[in-house]
Amino acid sequence: MKVSQNWLKNLVEINSTPEDLSEKLSIGGFEVESLENCSENVNGVVLGKVLSVLKHEGSDKLSICQVDIGNPKNLQIICGASNIKPNIYVYVATVGAELNAVNLTIKRSEIRGVLSEGMICSLQELGLEDSSDGIEIIDEELALKHKLGTPGSNLLQLNDFIYDLAITANRPDGMSVIGIAREISALLESKLDFPQLNHKYEINLLKEIQLCPEAITSNCLYTITCINGVNGEKLSPRWLRDRIEKSGIKSINLLVDLTNYILLEQGQPLHAFDKDKLSNLIGKEVSPNDFSVRKAKDNESLKCLDGKNYDLNENITIITCCDKPVAIAGVIGGLETSVTNTTSSIYLEGAVFNPVTIRKSSREIGVRTESSSRYEKGISSKNTIDAVTRAINLLEEYYPINLPIINTSNLINNEDVSIKLRRNRIHKILGPLIINDQLNKRNLSDNEIVDKLLLIGCTLKSKEYGWDVAVIPNRSQDLIREIDLIEEIARLIGYDRFDLNLPNPIKPGKLSPEQLALKKVKSGFIENGFNEVLSYSLVPEDKESLIKISNPLLLETSCLRDNIWEEHLEIVNRNIKSGQTSCYIFEVGNVFYKNSEFIQEEILNGAIYGNKKFGEWVNSGKDNDLNYYEARGKLKEALSSLNIKVDDKPTNSIDFLHPGRTAKLFIEGKDAGYFGEIHPKLILDKTALKKVYLFSINIPNLLGASTRKNKWIPIYKEYPIVPKMERDINFIFSKEYLISEITSEIKKTGKNLLEDVNLIDVFEDINFGENFISYTFRLSYRDKDKTLLDSDISSIHSNIVSKVEKRFNTKLR
C-alpha cells in the first residue's frame, strides 16, 4: 500500500520527520518497506523564463536561449527542443543538478563552441512521464504564482514522501488511507481531521434482487446507485490525480479516478458501469433490480478491462445484468459496459463479498487487483454506505447531478458489539510498567488504558470490572476478543516499557513419557538405517471421501490426505529412478477421515525397499530385494527400543498390499496397523517401480502400550539360581493356524511353571499333505525355589499336549 505524506497531512496532524514516522509505523505493525522522496529527482531544478531564442550557427536544430531564473545574471542555455520559444516558463536544471531519470549530471559545458550553463527539461527528463515531445511549458497562470528560481518541486507538488507499507492479513484497515491516518494518530497522539459526509441520499431496500448466498452472506452487502448527468470526458483535478498516481494507480478520467480514490481513501472498492451500454446490452432501460450476483456457468466468457477474454466456470462469482455477465465480482469489470469518454450516466456499485469467493475467482482467472486484495483481507459492510455517500458527495462537486437513490440488498445493523475488557486481566497479561529505569514499577492506570483505546477509535463504557468496548467498523475484523484489545494497549504503549512477567517460581519443563517414547521410536528407526521424511498433508481432490479445505491456494492442495503411503511410494520411486539400490523411510504424521464427524489420526508410516549393503561386492549381481521376513525384521529391530510385543495376523483385506504377504499388526490385542508387500498390480501399472514393503502403526496405540507403568519403568528381577528344564514337542498342524495362536494356547495352559515357549523348527513334507506343516516347540520350565524333577512337570506337560491336540485337531509326533 503506497500513500502520500501530503495526503496523510490532510487527514492527520504529523509532527515527526518521515524517517521517524517510518520507524514508528514499522514498530507499530505497519512495516514501511521503502520511503521515497518525491523531490529527489528534481533537486536543482527551478522555475525559469525564456527571454530570447537565437539560432545556433553551428547546428540546424540547436537554439541559444537566454533564461531568467531570478538571479542577477541570466543563464545561457543551449536547447534542441522544437517547441522552444521566447516568453515561456520552463523547468531549468542548474549546474550541479542530477537528473536520475536520464542518468545525467548538469555541468557548465560548450556545445559546438557555445557555452551552455544548464538544461531546459521535459517531464520525461524529470522522470515524471514515460515520453515527451519536447520541453515542458509551464502554464503561465501557475508560473505567475511563484517567483523565478522557485524550486520545481513546489510547482510539481513533489515536496512529498511516499510510504510503501506492507499490510498484513490481520490488519485490513491498513489498506485505506483513513486507516493509516488513524494508526498515525494513535502512534503520535495527534489530531484527526476526516472529511465530513453529507448523508442526504435516500436509501432504498432492494427486495427482488437475486444474490448468490455463498458470495453475499449475512454480513455482506450489495448496493447499486444510478447517477445521471456525468461526463466521461472530464479529467481529474490535479490534487486527485496527484494522490492516486502517487499510490500507484494511473489516472484515466474523473469518473474512474473517483472510484479509485474512494478505494484508496476508504478501503471500499467501487465500480462504475456505463448505464447506456448496459441498456444496449440487455435491450431495455436498465433498473437496479436487473442486477444480480451468481456463480458463472461453464460455457460463459467475459472480456474484461485488461482487454483479455476470460473463460468462466462455477468457481467464479460474477455480476450480471438481466443474467448477462458484466463483471467478475470483486476482481475486475467487463470491458463492454465500462466507463469511457462518451459516458453520461453510470450505475455505481459498492459491495462487500465473502472473501473466500473473491479469492476463488481471483485464483481461477489468475488476476489479483487492488479491489480483490482488499476483499480477500476482509472489509466491514458498515462502511459501504458511507463510502458510496462519500463518492456521490465528490461527484456533486464536479457534475450537476440530481440526488441519487442508493439501492441496497439489506439494511446493515449499526448497533455496536461490545467486548468485555477486565482491568485485572490487563494487569495480569501485561504486568507492571517500568518507571525511571526499573527503579519504580506500577500497573497501567485507567486513564492510560482509556486514552490508548480512544486513539484507535473505540468507545468505552465504564463497568465495575473495567469497560465494555465498542470497536469502529474498519477494525472489526481484527479486534474481536478481549486479548486483542489488550494487545493493542501494549502495542501503543510499547512492549519494551513493560517489566518481565515470568512465572514465580519458574518450573522447568520436561518431556512426558509419551514424548520420550516417540523420541525413542524415531531414534530406533534412524539407528536401523531409516531416514525420517516429512510429506505435505494437503493433496489434490482425486476422490470424494477426502476432506476439502474451505479456501485452498491451489487445486493440487485442496484436500486433507487420508493416507501417507501414496506419498512414500512416490519418494521410493524417485529414489529408484535416481539409481538408489535401497530406500528406508519413515514418518510420523496425521491422516484425516470423514465419518459422522471429522477424525484426525496420528500414525507412524514408512516404506522399505532394497537391501542396504556396506560393500558393492556383497551378493554382487544377485537379487537385491528383501523377502517378507527380512523386511518385517527391519521393522521389529526399529521398534525394539520399546518394551512391547507386536503380533501379526495375515490379512487379505488391504487392497494395495499383496494378499498373501500382508499382516495386520496387533498391540495388546488391539488392531494397530499393518505391514505388507506392495500389490503386484501396482507394479504392473507402474504405480510402484519395484517390490516395496509398507507399514503403518497407530501412534496412540504404540505409545499407550509402551508407556504403561509395568512396561515403561524397568523392574529389577533376581537372576534365577536354579536350572530350567526343557522339553521339545512336535505336531503337524493345519497351515490355517498361526504360530501366535499355538504359543498362546501353550502359555495359557502351563502358566504356573512354564517360563518360555520358542518355535525351533518348521518342516514341510508332501506326505503331510499340501495344507499341513510340522512345528517343533521348545518348552522351558523353571521353579524359582527348587530344581525341578520330571515328576514335577509331567502332569503340566501332559496337559499342554492334550490341550494342543484338542484345540488344533492334531497329534503329538
Side-chain angles (χ1 to χ4, degrees), residues 46-57:
V46 299
L47 171 64
K49 182 178 182 181
V50 180
L51 302 176
S52 65
V53 178
L54 296 176
K55 196 71 178 173
H56 193 298
E57 293 180 356

Side-chain angles (χ1 to χ4, degrees), residues 749-762:
T749 306
K751 59 184 177 180
N752 291 331
L753 295 177
L754 184 65
E755 184 180 73
D756 199 9
V757 180
N758 290 296
L759 176 70
I760 61 171
D761 185 64
V762 178

Side-chain angles (χ1 to χ4, degrees), residues 6 27 30 44 125 200 234 261 293 298 340 397 460 541 590 654 689 770 772:
N6 287 346
I27 293 173
F30 284 175
E125 290 160 338
K200 59 182 179 180
K234 191 164 187 174
Y261 180 78
V293 182
D298 287 339
T340 60
E397 294 181 18
L460 296 89
E541 185 184 355
N590 292 311
I654 303 174
L689 300 180
E770 184 179 353
F772 291 89

Side-chain angles (χ1 to χ4, degrees), residues 43-102:
N43 286 337
V45 177
V46 299
L47 171 64
K49 182 178 182 181
V50 180
L51 302 176
S52 65
V53 178
L54 296 176
K55 196 71 178 173
H56 193 298
E57 293 180 356
S59 173
D60 295 335
K61 295 183 178 180
L62 298 178
S63 302
I64 304 171
C65 308
Q66 295 296 319
V67 182
D68 183 4
I69 62 168
N71 292 340
K73 183 183 176 183
N74 296 332
L75 297 180
Q76 179 175 284
I77 297 175
I78 307 300
C79 181
S82 59
N83 61 337
I84 188 70
K85 58 185 177 180
N87 298 316
I88 59 172
Y89 293 92
V90 293
Y91 294 110
V92 179
T94 57
V95 174
E98 294 184 0
L99 302 180
N100 297 327
V102 289

Side-chain angles (χ1 to χ4, degrees), residues 172-185:
D173 59 299
M175 297 297 285
S176 67
V177 181
I178 279 181
I180 297 168
R182 190 180 293 280
E183 179 72 8
I184 292 172
S185 170

